[in-house]
Amino acid sequence: MGRVLSAKNVTLAGAAAVLIVAGLLPLGVMGAKSLGHYGPVLSNARNWKLLANSLLLAGSTTAVAALAGVPLAILFGKTNLPFRRLFAVLFSLPLLLPPYVLAVGWFQVLGSSWLFGLPGCILVLASCYMPVVMLLTMVYLRTVNPALEEAGRLSANGWRVLTGISLPLAAPGVILSLLLVFLLTLGEFGATTFLRFDVFPVASFTQFSAFYDFGAATAAAMPLVAITLAGLLVERRFLHGKTFAFRWAAPAESSRIRLRALGPLLLLAVLAAMAVALPLSAIFWRGASPRALGDAFHRAGDSALRSLLYAVTAATILTPLGFLLSYLIHRRALPGWRLLDALGLFLFTLPGTVLGIGLIVLWNRPATNWIYTTPLIVIAGFIAQYTALSTRLMLAGLSQVPVAMEEAAELSGAGWVRRIWRILAPLCRGSIGAAWIVTCLFCLRDSSLPLLLAPPGLDTLTARTMTLMANGAPDLIAALCILLVAVTALPLAALAFVWRRRA
Amino acid sequence: MRRRIRLPVLLAGLLASAGCGARRSTTVVVYVSEDQVFSEPILKDFEKETGIRVRAVYDTEEAKSTGVMNRLLAEKNNPQADVYWANEPIRAGLLRQQGISTPYSPGNAKGIPSQFKDPQGYWTGFSARARLLVVSKTAAHKPAGLQAYLDPRWRGRAVIANPLFGTTTAQMAALFSLWGDQKAKQFLAGLRANQVKLSTGNGESADLVASGAFDFSLVDSDDAVSRARQGRPIEIVYPDQGEDGAGVFLIPNAVVLIKGGANTENGKKLMDYLVSEETERKLAAADCAQIPLHPGVPTPPEIKPVDRIKTMKVDYAEIAARLTAIQPVLKEWVGY
C-alpha cells in the first residue's frame, strides 16, 4: 500500500489527472454528443476528398519543411558559417505569427493568382512551420555527445561524421519535428480557407458554423484520431530504444565543419529574402508607421499584456507537467501510460473549436464560474491542447539520459524526488528550456482557443487581431502583427537571458 | 525560497486580477457579430455616455460571423452574455427557437419600420445592409435582377457566395420563403446548370467581379461600396426594381436580449443606445456604409435611402424558421 502511495506514484498520477481533467473530460462531453453522427460523416464522399486534400497538403508541407529545415539546422548547428545565429533567428520569425497572418502577408506580396490553391498553401505553411524542423534538429544535434563525433573524426571527414553519427543520433528530434509539422498542417484551417484550398477541418467547421451541430462537428473531427495514432506509431517505431550518452553543450568551434562562407551565405540570404523577408516586409512596410503602431497599441495593448500573461502561465504549468508525463511514459511508471501518450497527441491535433466547445459545456456552470469566467478557462484550454508538445520534447530529452544513472542514484539511497531534482532535471535542462519556450510560443500564437474561451473583455492579442481583421484597416492589422512579433520576442529574450546567466 | 515562489505567486496574482470584476452592476456583457472595427467605437461611446463598462466578445471574418453564435448556444444553460449584437436577424430567430433570448422592445426603436422588428420583441433591427448586384464595368450586358443568374448570356460569368454561410444563407432562405420550395429549388438547379461560380464569401465575390474575372455577383452593400470607394471598375445595381420585381433583400443588424443574463437592466440600456438614430448615423458615416432605418437619418452617398429602394417583403421570423428546414437542401446543393 505504501508503495502504491509513494511520492512518485502520487505525483505522476496527479500529472495524469491534470491532463485527464483538462482534456479528456471535455472530450468525453463532445464524444457523447457525437454518437449517432459517425455514419453520415464516414459515408460522405466529399469528406474523404477533403481528407485526401489534407493529407496531400500535410505531406507536401512536411516534405518541404524537412528539405529546407534539416540542411539549415546543419548549417547553423554544425558549421562555422558566419552570422549563423542571426540567420537562425531570421528563419524562425514566421513561427511567431499565426499562419493566417502570414498568408495575408504573402497575399500582399504575390496577389491571388499566384498564391491561391495547393501550391500557395504549401508555400505559406512550409515557411511557417519550417522553423519547427530547423530548431528541433538544431537542439538535437547539440545533444549528441561530442566524444562520439571526435572519435569519428579520427577516421572520417566532417561531413561523413555528420551523416554517419550526428544526424542518425539526432534522428528522434528530426522525426518528432516532422510529426509536429504534419499534425499542425493537418489541423490548419484559417490559412487554407484564406488561400481557397478545401481541407478536412472544413467538414468540422461547417458543422459548427452553418448547422450549429456540435455532435456532427465532433464526429467530423474524429478521423484525425486515426491519423494521429498512425503518426504516434511511426514516431514510436523510430524512437523506440534510442538511448544515447547525453551532453548538453554547444560544439567546440574547432569541431565545426569548415565552409567557404561566400557561396552558402549568398544562398541563405536569397532564401531568407524569399521565405521570410518578403511576407514580413510587406507587413512591416504597412504597419511600421508611428501612427499605425500607436493605434495598434491603443486598441490592443491590454490584449498584448494578457497574451503574455496567459502564455507564460500556461508554459510554466506545461513544462513540469510535460516532464512528469514524459517520465511516466518513458519509464512506463503507471498502467495506462500508452493511453496517456495517445491522449496528449490526440488533443494536440483536435481542432481548437471542438476542444473549446467541450470546455464550455463542461465548465460553464454556476458552481465552476470561478474557472469559466476567469482566464483559468483559457489556461485549461492551452494545457489540454499543448501538453503533447511539452511531453514530446521532454520525452525526447529524457530518452537520451541513460536509465542507469537514475538506478545508480537509487541504489545509493536517493529518493525519487531527489533523483528527479538532482539528476534528471539538470540533465534535461535543455529540453526543459525548449519545452517552456515552445509551449509559450504556441500559446502566444493560438487564436482559436482564446476566441472561444477568453472571458468577455479579457481577450488575447491574436484574438483581437483576428476580430479586427474583419474589415480593419490593413495598416492597423499589419501594426498588430508587429506588436505580436514584439510580444513573442519577450519570452525568447527572457529565456536567452536565463540561459546566458546559467552558462 | 522567496525567489523560487516569486514567479508563480506573481502569475497567480495577475491572473486573479485579470479575472476580477467579472460581474458588477456597472457592467454589461455583449457578444458582437458586427465587425469589431465598426462596433467597438459605438460601444466605447456608450461606455463614455453611461459609465457602464462594456465587456465584449467579437467575432472573426474567419468564423463567418458564427463564432459567438456557437458560444451563445454552448452557454445556453449558464448564459454569460446580456446582449447579442447580430449582423443579421435570422440567427436572432434561431436564438429564440432555442430559448436563449427574451423579449424586450427598446423605446428608441419606435421610428424603425415594423418589418424590421420582431413583433414580440425578441429582436430589434437597425442599420441595414442591402443585397445588391455588383457588376463589372467591362461586362457586355448589365443584369437587372436575380434571374440573370439563370440567363445563358451569363453562363459561367456570374459568381455567388457559398449559401451555407453568412448573408447568402439568409438570402436563400428569403427566396424559399418568397417563392416557395419548388421555384427556389429550380433556381438553385438553374445556378448549377448555368455554371455559376461558388465563392467562399461576399468579399471574394466582389473582388472577382472587380478584377473582371466575372460579370456580376450578389453581395452585401458594404462589399459593393468598399470596392467603389477603392475606385475599382464596378457598378452597383439594385436588383428586381421593376413592377413585377421582388425588390432588394434588406438585412438589418439585430439586437437581442439574452435570457438569464447577469446585467439585464444594463443590457436594456445598451439595446436602447444601439437602435438609436445617433448609432445609425455613426454606422452610416463609417466605412461599413450601413443604411439607416430611422426616417431622416442621412444615408451614405453611394447608397440610395431605404424609402427610394423597392425592398423585398419578407417575414424575418419565417426566414429563420426556413433556414433550418432548407439546410439539407443547401448542404446537398453545395456538395457537403
Side-chain angles (χ1 to χ4, degrees), chain A residues 169-443:
Chain A
L169 289 178
V174 178
I175 292 161
L176 170 64
S177 69
L178 298 184
L179 181 67
L180 287 177
V181 171
F182 186 86
L183 295 178
L184 284 167
T185 309
L186 201 65
E188 178 56 37
F189 172 71
T192 51
T193 304
F194 180 78
L195 297 171
R196 319 275 192 261
F197 184 66
D198 280 350
V199 288
F200 189 75
V202 169
S204 179
F205 171 79
T206 304
Q207 296 296 340
F208 271 124
S209 59
F211 310 119
Y212 308 114
D213 191 335
F214 297 166
T218 307
M222 286 302 159
L224 294 174
V225 179
I227 297 167
T228 304
L229 292 179
L232 188 67
L233 284 174
V234 169
E235 191 221 9
R236 189 160 297 284
R237 163 83 180 75
F238 281 93
L239 276 180
H240 185 68
K242 298 276 196 296
T243 303
F244 310 110
F246 179 91
R247 183 172 157 184
W248 181 263
E253 204 57 32
S254 60
S255 70
R256 290 185 177 276
I257 298 168
R258 293 185 181 283
L259 287 178
R260 285 182 189 165
L262 195 60
L265 265 182
L266 280 175
L267 195 68
L268 273 179
V270 171
L271 193 62
M274 284 170 59
V276 183
L278 272 180
L280 291 185
S281 60
I283 290 170
F284 273 79
W285 180 73
R286 274 209 170 271
S289 70
R291 189 167 161 234
L293 287 172
D295 192 20
F297 196 78
H298 172 70
R299 281 176 177 265
D302 53 345
S303 303
L305 284 176
R306 278 192 295 271
S307 274
L308 205 56
L309 176 62
Y310 298 171
V312 167
T313 307
T316 306
I317 296 169
L318 280 163
T319 304
L321 182 65
F323 183 88
L324 292 171
L325 289 175
S326 68
Y327 182 92
L328 192 162
I329 292 163
H330 188 254
R331 304 289 204 264
R332 303 176 183 187
L334 290 178
W337 61 271
R338 218 184 277 270
L339 289 176
L340 274 175
D341 194 15
L343 171 66
L345 261 182
F346 172 54
L347 288 166
F348 180 63
T349 58
L350 202 64
T353 319
V354 173
L355 189 60
I357 296 281
L359 283 163
I360 294 175
V361 175
L362 182 67
W363 294 111
N364 183 28
R365 302 157 196 273
T368 51
N369 267 350
W370 61 277
I371 293 177
Y372 186 70
T373 62
T374 67
L376 287 177
I377 191 70
V378 184
I379 307 291
F382 286 156
I383 289 172
Q385 190 108 65
Y386 296 124
T387 294
L389 268 183
S390 59
T391 306
R392 293 274 109 187
L393 285 164
M394 297 302 312
L395 192 57
L398 207 58
S399 71
Q400 299 195 3
V401 180
V403 179
M405 293 179 93
E406 194 194 344
E407 287 170 349
E410 190 176 8
L411 285 175
S412 306
W416 183 74
V417 175
R418 196 174 163 82
R419 296 196 307 268
I420 293 288
W421 195 247
R422 295 283 185 186
I423 297 173
L424 291 182
L427 285 174
C428 290
R429 65 181 186 278
S431 298
I432 289 172
W436 188 86
I437 194 67
V438 169
T439 50
C440 190
L441 292 183
F442 271 79
C443 294

Side-chain angles (χ1 to χ4, degrees), chain A residues 46 190 210 212 372 454 467 471, chain B residues 35-36 62 71 75 91 335:
Chain A
R46 179 181 156 80
Y212 308 114
Y372 186 70
T467 53
N471 279 319
Chain B
D35 293 341
Q36 185 179 356
E62 190 192 18
R71 194 160 164 165
E75 290 176 351
R91 288 181 178 87

Side-chain angles (χ1 to χ4, degrees), chain B residues 281-300:
Chain B
R281 190 172 290 115
K282 288 173 187 168
L283 288 172
D287 282 345
C288 55
Q290 297 193 339
I291 305 167
L293 300 179
H294 279 285
V297 178
T299 305

Side-chain angles (χ1 to χ4, degrees), chain A residues 44 46 190 196 208-210 212 214 299 364-365 369 372-373 451-452 454 456-458 464 466-467 471, chain B residues 11 15 18 29 35-37 40 55-56 59 62 66 70-71 75 78 80 91 94 164-165 204 327 335-336:
Chain A
N44 188 327
R46 179 181 156 80
R196 319 275 192 261
F208 271 124
S209 59
Y212 308 114
F214 297 166
R299 281 176 177 265
N364 183 28
R365 302 157 196 273
N369 267 350
Y372 186 70
T373 62
L451 274 168
L452 260 178
L458 298 174
R464 183 148 286 230
M466 299 297 268
T467 53
N471 279 319
Chain B
L11 289 174
L15 276 176
V29 178
D35 293 341
Q36 185 179 356
V37 280
E40 193 174 32
R55 295 171 58 230
D59 224 332
E62 190 192 18
T66 56
N70 277 311
R71 194 160 164 165
E75 290 176 351
N78 185 32
Q80 301 296 319
R91 288 181 178 87
L94 195 66
L164 284 177
F165 303 112
E204 187 193 358
Q327 274 177 345
Y336 279 93

